[in-house]
């Protein structure tokens, strides 16, 4: 006889679903937000432009559908990076600042247009932020999280430019600090061909 496991609303994955659903219910806005706001939390970025390799993603986001995030991320209060979440301490504008950092990275590239990027964002209580981000990545396998790495990187700083350029910077050159890094071991063409193959297989499996 089959046993139906009881639904537990406090199960970790169910809690993550609640956070993810709350983000996906938010309105979509241009990534260049009009004004700052207080809060830490999670976000999803969407692409609608004409960069050839990203055509399947852009098509999934046309006509207001926004079904395929190209990147999912989080912004946590400063204390979280040291292992504590700073309960009841204002997070400041960390989520807004993170989105603006991404906007600047996109604006610095030679082959992407900031007008083609949109976002959903959600201020979340500190403890649920990593869970929400992890579930969204699992749900959507965003390209810039799973296959093209480096979009969320920061300038490593003086004396630390010995690591190779990320795959994201290899195919989207323009960030001044990334130009100081050794080139990626793979060419931009090789990376883009791999991306095209992955997106082709995803389409077949849908």
């Amino acid at each position: 006889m089959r046993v139906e496991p009881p639904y537990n609303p406090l199960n970790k994955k169910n809690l993550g679903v609640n956070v993810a659903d709350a983000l996906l219910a938010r309105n979509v806005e241009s990534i260049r937000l009009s004004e700052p706001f207080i809060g830490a939390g999670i976000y999803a970025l969407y692409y609608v432009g004409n960069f050839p390799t990203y055509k399947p993603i852009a098509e999934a986001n046309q006509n207001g559908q926004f079904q395929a995030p190209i990147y999912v991320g989080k912004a946590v209060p400063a204390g979280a990076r040291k292992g504590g979440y700073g309960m009841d301490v204002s997070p400041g504008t960390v989520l807004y600042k993170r989105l603006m950092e991404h906007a600047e990275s996109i604006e610095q590239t030679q082959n992407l247009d900031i007008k083609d990027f949109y976002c959903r964002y959600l201020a979340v209580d500190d403890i649920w932020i990593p869970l929400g981000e992890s579930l969204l990545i699992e749900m959507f396998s965003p390209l810039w999280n799973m296959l093209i790495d480096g979009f969320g990187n920061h300038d490593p700083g003086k004396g630390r430019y010995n690591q190779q350029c990320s795959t994201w910077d290899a195919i989207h050159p323009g960030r001044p600090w990334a130009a100081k890094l050794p080139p990626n071991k793979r060419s931009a063409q090789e990376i883009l061909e791999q991306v095209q193959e992955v997106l082709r297989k995803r389409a077949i499996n849908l």
Side-chain angles (χ1 to χ4, degrees), residues 128-206:
W128 308 119
I129 292 174
L131 186 60
E133 180 199 33
S134 295
L135 188 69
L136 286 162
I137 292 174
E138 182 181 330
M139 288 172 63
F140 293 107
S141 297
L143 196 63
W144 288 358
N145 292 92
M146 304 299 291
L147 189 60
I148 301 173
D149 74 287
F151 172 60
N153 291 357
H154 293 94
D155 186 339
K158 185 177 180 180
R160 306 173 90 181
Y161 293 114
N162 55 351
Q163 59 188 1
Q164 72 172 359
C165 172
S166 74
T167 53
W168 191 88
D169 288 291
I171 62 175
H172 299 302
R175 292 196 284 198
W177 58 265
K180 302 176 184 178
L181 302 174
N184 194 281
K185 62 183 179 181
R186 293 191 295 160
S187 70
Q189 185 61 35
E190 289 174 325
I191 297 166
L192 290 173
E193 286 175 357
Q194 181 190 13
V195 172
Q196 289 173 334
E197 180 64 13
V198 168
L199 292 178
R200 185 185 66 81
K201 288 179 179 178
R202 282 189 190 178
I204 292 172
N205 293 330
L206 289 177

Side-chain angles (χ1 to χ4, degrees), residues 40-94:
I42 56 175
Y43 56 89
L45 305 186
Y46 299 87
Y47 179 69
V48 299
N50 57 10
F51 189 74
T53 306
Y54 299 159
K55 182 178 178 181
I57 295 173
E59 288 179 344
N61 295 327
Q62 294 294 336
N63 303 317
Q65 295 300 305
F66 294 105
Q67 296 178 341
I70 197 167
Y71 186 75
V72 164
K74 67 178 184 293
V76 297
R81 291 191 292 271
K82 300 177 182 178
Y85 277 88
M87 300 300 184
D88 299 322
V89 175
S90 172
T93 58
V94 292

Side-chain angles (χ1 to χ4, degrees), residues 10-28:
L10 298 181
N11 174 277
K12 182 170 69 172
K13 187 160 188 176
N14 291 333
L15 289 168
V17 169
N18 291 339
V19 176
D21 286 349
L23 172 70
L24 297 175
R26 299 275 292 181
N27 291 332
V28 175

